[in-house]
Every structure is written in C-alpha cells, then in structure tokens.
Amino acid sequence: MSREQAKKDVINRLRTIKGHISGIEKMIEEDKSCDEVLLQIGAIKASIHKVGLVIMEEHAKECLINIEEGESVSKEKVEKVLNTIVKYVK
C-alpha cells in the first residue's frame, strides 16, 4: 500500500469511527440495551486498533525501508521504531 493509499485508508477509517461514536450517542439517548451499546464500542475499539496498526506500519516503512540505496539502517532508527511499537501495544 502506498503512503497516499494508507493516508486515505486511515482517514476513511476515522470517519467511520466518528459515525460509530455518533451512533452510540444516539443509542444511549434512545436507551438501547447495554449489549447493543457494548457491541458498538467493541467495533470502535477494533477500528481504532486497526488505524494504529496502519499508521505504525507506515511509520516503520518510512523509517526502515525508505532509505537511500546503499545506506544502512541505523541502530537509532530501529530503536525508534521498536519503541513506538512497544508504546502502542502497551
């Protein structure tokens, strides 16, 4: 996936998440069941996680793959990417 495609994907996913959040607000106003509300919250959590993974993947590609030919990946770049991954999964 190209950087532009990833950006469009993230934006579309975020718009979908906004729609789900609005839907949850409406569900609560309409006194929908806890089961229905929690199901939607679970869908939002999964969507947010996926957005994070897409962003993390693009970050890793940018830092580790998109380097000049012949240039080696520095220890600092690898550590930066690993630190980002660790912070995300905590």
Side-chain angles (χ1 to χ4, degrees), residues 39-55:
L39 183 64
Q40 289 303 309
I41 290 172
I44 290 170
K45 286 172 59 176
S47 294
I48 288 284
H49 182 69
K50 180 63 178 174
V51 166
L53 290 175
V54 170
I55 291 171

Side-chain angles (χ1 to χ4, degrees), residues 28-78:
I28 293 188
E29 288 170 351
E30 296 173 352
D31 293 321
K32 296 289 182 180
S33 73
C34 291
D35 291 346
E36 292 175 280
V37 173
L38 291 172
L39 183 64
Q40 289 303 309
I41 290 172
I44 290 170
K45 286 172 59 176
S47 294
I48 288 284
H49 182 69
K50 180 63 178 174
V51 166
L53 290 175
V54 170
I55 291 171
M56 188 173 17
E57 180 181 356
E58 288 306 306
H59 173 67
K61 285 179 185 176
E62 186 176 305
C63 289
L64 302 176
I65 297 173
N66 295 337
I67 57 175
E68 296 294 321
E69 190 172 323
E71 180 184 354
S72 63
V73 178
S74 70
K75 179 181 175 185
E76 291 78 20
K77 283 186 177 184
V78 173

